[in-house]
Amino acid sequence: MNIKNYIKGKVKEILHVEKEIIVEIPPRENMGNYSIQCANYRTENLKTPMDVAKYIQEHFVDDKGYFREIKLIGPYVNFYINYDVLANYVIPMIEENNSYYGSSYEGKDEFLLVEHTSINPNAEPHIGRCRNSLIGDFLSNLYQFLGYSVERHYYINDLGKKIALLIIGIETYGLSDDSFSSILDVYVKISKAAKEDSSIDEKAFLYLEKVESGDKEMIQKFKDITDKCVQGQLKIFGELNIHFDVFTHESDYVYDRSGIDFVLNQLKDKGRLKEDELGRYYVDLTGYDIPTKEPVLVLTRSNKTALYPMKDILYTIYKMKRNPEHNFIVLGEDQAVYMQQISAVLDILGYDSPKLVSYSYVLLDGDKMSTSGGTVVLVTEFMKVVKEKLKENLFSRGENISSKELQKLCNASIKFTMLNVSKNKIVNFNLEKSTSFTGESGIYILYSIVRINSILKNVGDVSSDIIKLVDPIEYKIVHELYRFPEVIQELLQSYEPAHLTKYLFNLTQQFSKFYEQINILYEDDLVLKASRIRLICAIKTVLENGLKILGIDTIEHM
């Protein structure tokens, strides 16, 4: 049952046109559920939008009984849904599909690759970088919900100047303890010192040369500190219930130079490899529309050791060979131009590129975060603050929950708030709103599911094959439940988790009105009572399915 397509097909037949029929959602409830603006469908015989609208209305045969009224409002044809028909379709459909209602199963037997997070293993992740992880996890969950076999990739930047500086910092200052968190203090110290003492940078480049030339002792130093960092990072992401399947090391493309040499030779053969006055190799990207000062991408240092772009090119080739059809990468907006450069090089080499999903940064109290500058709010510290606020809110309500459930609430607060903002807009995180039991928060949605569970435990044994609903709020909910598969399909075009969070919040608001206005437990009409029970079960299913895509777990008690 696809009402939009039903309208489109009927109108195409009526007007005998091939052009796409645009079906819109009216801005106000009294305008119906769907509408068509008729100005674009005028013909020789139908000269005005009103002529078109009247013609459609007169010739539209609703043989499915989907509409209780088809009405003209100016140059629009407005369609008013028959809610009895819709309810008797939607609720059984949700019951039948349950945890997969909303899924088109289009990814069955398909494999999809998503790379996200991939932060430098020189410190704990901060809440700004965490936005990458949350969007990447959302994408992975979305495609898994659609039936894809999803492979989550993490690229470990175990080389580069930052790791060399970190090793120098540990050699210089030591670690206050053996914990992962102490690494950030050392990195911030050595980064500041390097700005005042150029010999530190020189030493870092010497360490990199040793690694790339195969110095076993230096390679082991890099590996030891990288492993400590990565394990610490994964533990933190595990608390957020974010996990990865495949790990690839940057160093994999350095110790064996065959890949580097292959790319350089291919670029040389295509006339795109150049050498500058410093002896560095770069790619000539002339002809590609990339907003940089010069159409070049430097690949090596003067000593011909590989820079980040060279290793990123090799890694991306590996990913594209692994999955040339369904391949995604999540990066901050500040990396978008860089990814255009990498994609241009891949195009020269004859490869496609991953689909880029970019996002803006996060503000806390109006401040942007920087790892090297030390102006960060770590995820571990942030979770502690969120948990304390949640415990304060729960205590004021006379409620107490386990530490496991508290972690779920913490995750819901962070994830919903971070994903509830368009990915291209700045997130300004508000602790009060994100932990509130009312308003636009993950806690509000979880609390509504707990309310539904409470009702279901007390309704007794009632059932009916007929669905009978009588209140306008019930009709609105039925239509909103029907829209869930449309919302999922829209996500595949926008990759905007905020579209899903807004939908779930709106559905939860409608349930709250239903909860306040409608009697269930003491309803005398058993058919109506059973129908309402089936309705709230359907609401619960859709909320849980949506939260699953956002990476938010539900809880039984609150």
Side-chain angles (χ1 to χ4, degrees):
M1 184 179 185
N2 189 315
I3 297 176
K4 276 190 176 182
N5 286 346
Y6 177 70
I7 295 172
K8 289 178 183 180
K10 289 283 185 182
V11 172
K12 273 192 172 187
E13 288 179 9
I14 292 167
L15 298 179
H16 303 290
V17 296
E18 291 300 321
K19 67 170 62 177
E20 180 68 17
I21 304 298
I22 306 300
V23 179
E24 301 174 337
I25 306 296
R28 294 193 295 275
E29 287 182 36
N30 63 355
M31 292 179 161
N33 305 99
Y34 299 98
S35 68
I36 296 176
Q37 214 278 38
C38 297
N40 295 326
Y41 309 113
R42 288 173 287 186
T43 66
E44 288 185 14
N45 297 324
L46 304 171
K47 298 184 182 298
T48 70
M50 285 298 297
D51 290 338
V52 177
K54 188 174 181 182
Y55 190 79
I56 292 173
Q57 183 194 39
E58 289 174 349
H59 292 82
F60 196 104
V61 179
D62 181 20
D63 45 15
K64 299 283 188 182
Y66 287 169
F67 308 111
R68 67 182 189 276
E69 184 179 9
I70 300 174
K71 182 178 177 182
L72 300 187
I73 302 179
Y76 289 84
V77 182
N78 291 54
F79 299 83
Y80 296 74
I81 284 178
N82 182 333
Y83 288 111
D84 288 331
V85 171
L86 190 65
N88 279 278
Y89 166 80
V90 171
I91 294 176
M93 179 63 69
I94 295 173
E95 292 168 341
E96 180 181 345
N97 289 274
N98 203 290
S99 62
Y100 282 96
Y101 173 70
S103 175
S104 62
Y105 304 102
E106 64 189 64
K108 186 179 180 183
D109 300 324
E110 293 283 335
F111 161 51
L112 185 138
L113 187 155
V114 179
E115 183 213 337
H116 67 86
T117 304
S118 301
I119 60 178
N120 289 314
N122 61 320
E124 289 190 45
H126 63 60
I127 194 64
R129 295 278 177 83
C130 191
R131 191 176 191 188
N132 185 308
S133 309
L134 298 180
I135 292 173
D137 193 55
F138 155 77
L139 276 177
S140 302
N141 296 336
L142 172 63
Y143 280 102
Q144 189 167 305
F145 182 70
L146 293 169
Y148 287 87
S149 175
V150 178
E151 197 173 75
R152 297 160 169 85
H153 281 238
Y154 193 107
Y155 183 48
I156 301 173
N157 299 296
D158 60 337
L159 294 180
K161 181 183 171 185
K162 290 182 178 181
I163 302 302
L165 281 175
L166 183 54
I167 291 172
I168 295 169
I170 292 171
E171 291 174 344
T172 304
Y173 307 113
L175 293 173
S176 59
D177 54 48
D178 198 40
S179 68
F180 173 45
S181 59
S182 66
I183 293 173
L184 178 60
D185 293 333
V186 171
Y187 180 71
V188 171
K189 280 184 184 178
I190 198 65
S191 294
K192 289 180 179 177
K195 291 178 181 178
E196 300 173 0
D197 184 354
S198 60
S199 67
I200 295 175
D201 275 355
E202 292 171 6
K203 189 175 184 180
F205 288 125
L206 175 63
Y207 280 16
L208 286 172
E209 283 187 39
K210 285 185 176 184
V211 168
E212 296 191 15
S213 64
D215 185 302
K216 291 184 178 178
E217 182 180 351
M218 190 57 66
I219 289 171
Q220 192 60 47
K221 282 187 177 182
F222 272 65
K223 185 179 186 304
D224 288 345
I225 191 61
T226 298
D227 287 348
K228 181 186 286 288
C229 289
V230 171
Q231 289 305 311
Q233 289 174 345
L234 294 180
K235 183 178 178 182
I236 293 169
F237 288 124
E239 290 182 11
L240 285 166
N241 201 21
I242 296 173
H243 304 282
F244 300 89
D245 304 305
V246 177
F247 298 89
T248 305
H249 292 74
E250 179 187 355
S251 57
D252 293 344
Y253 304 105
V254 173
Y255 301 148
D256 178 2
R257 276 197 62 94
S258 61
I260 295 172
D261 294 336
F262 171 78
V263 168
L264 293 175
N265 288 333
Q266 287 288 305
L267 292 171
K268 184 177 181 181
D269 291 344
K270 294 176 183 296
R272 291 282 189 164
L273 187 68
K274 310 291 182 181
E275 188 173 355
D276 66 14
E277 66 278 4
L278 299 176
R280 303 177 303 177
Y281 283 136
Y282 68 90
V283 191
D284 179 3
L285 298 178
T286 302
Y288 289 91
D289 185 18
I290 303 173
T292 54
K293 289 183 179 179
E294 298 292 336
V296 301
L297 180 64
V298 181
L299 299 181
T300 72
R301 302 181 183 89
S302 301
N303 62 5
K304 304 302 187 289
T305 56
L307 291 169
Y308 281 118
M310 172 61 80
K311 291 168 277 190
D312 285 345
I313 289 164
L314 290 167
Y315 175 50
T316 308
I317 289 173
Y318 154 75
K319 289 192 297 175
M320 293 310 299
K321 285 182 176 179
R322 186 167 180 82
N323 194 327
E325 292 186 47
H326 309 298
N327 205 308
F328 290 84
I329 183 169
V330 181
L331 292 172
E333 63 182 5
D334 56 336
Q335 294 291 306
V337 172
Y338 173 70
M339 192 61 201
Q340 283 182 265
Q341 293 175 303
I342 297 297
S343 297
V345 176
L346 261 66
D347 183 64
I348 293 168
L349 296 170
Y351 295 96
D352 290 329
S353 299
K355 169 72 178 179
L356 172 64
V357 178
S358 62
Y359 62 93
S360 191
Y361 50 88
V362 178
L363 295 179
L364 292 175
D365 298 325
D367 291 328
K368 194 175 177 181
M369 286 162 279
S370 163
T371 304
S372 58
T375 57
V376 301
V377 177
L378 303 177
V379 171
T380 50
E381 295 175 355
F382 191 69
M383 284 195 289
K384 287 179 183 177
V385 173
V386 173
K387 286 179 182 178
E388 286 302 316
K389 186 62 181 174
L390 285 168
K391 284 194 285 188
E392 178 185 316
N393 291 347
L394 288 164
F395 180 78
S396 68
R397 300 168 65 91
E399 297 170 358
N400 188 30
I401 60 173
S402 68
S403 59
K404 184 178 180 180
E405 289 175 325
L406 182 62
Q407 182 67 55
K408 288 182 180 181
L409 291 182
C410 174
N411 291 352
S413 299
I414 294 172
K415 290 182 178 184
F416 191 90
T417 302
M418 297 275 277
L419 295 173
N420 194 35
V421 178
S422 172
K423 63 184 188 300
N424 295 320
K425 292 184 179 180
I426 298 167
V427 174
N428 202 338
F429 199 98
N430 185 301
L431 183 63
E432 291 288 339
K433 290 181 180 178
S434 71
T435 55
S436 174
F437 281 75
T438 60
E440 210 161 341
S441 74
I443 306 302
Y444 172 55
I445 295 172
L446 289 180
Y447 186 57
S448 295
I449 294 174
V450 170
R451 276 180 163 177
I452 292 173
N453 288 334
S454 177
I455 295 171
L456 295 177
K457 286 179 181 177
N458 294 287
V459 291
D461 185 19
V462 290
S463 62
S464 173
D465 293 333
I466 302 169
I467 296 173
K468 181 176 77 171
L469 300 172
V470 296
D471 194 277
I473 186 61
E474 296 170 333
Y475 297 153
K476 286 186 69 174
I477 290 173
V478 165
H479 186 235
E480 201 67 10
L481 294 174
Y482 165 77
R483 286 187 57 243
F484 185 58
E486 293 180 0
V487 172
I488 299 301
Q489 285 303 306
E490 193 281 329
L491 293 176
L492 299 180
Q493 306 301 318
S494 67
Y495 308 118
E496 279 285 6
H499 292 168
L500 178 57
T501 56
K502 302 295 183 188
Y503 168 84
L504 295 177
F505 174 63
N506 184 53
L507 178 59
T508 304
Q509 279 189 310
Q510 291 179 10
F511 165 73
S512 294
K513 291 178 182 177
F514 173 87
Y515 182 82
E516 292 167 3
Q517 299 173 12
I518 302 298
N519 175 27
I520 297 179
L521 295 179
Y522 303 105
E523 174 58 54
D524 294 329
D525 185 331
L526 294 183
V527 173
L528 184 55
K529 182 176 182 178
S531 298
R532 287 172 172 169
I533 291 167
R534 293 175 72 180
L535 179 64
I536 64 171
C537 286
I539 295 169
K540 178 185 174 184
T541 295
V542 170
L543 290 178
E544 288 178 341
N545 288 357
L547 291 175
K548 181 168 61 176
I549 293 170
L550 297 175
I552 296 174
D553 293 325
T554 57
I555 66 173
E556 291 297 319
H557 308 285
M558 192 185 302

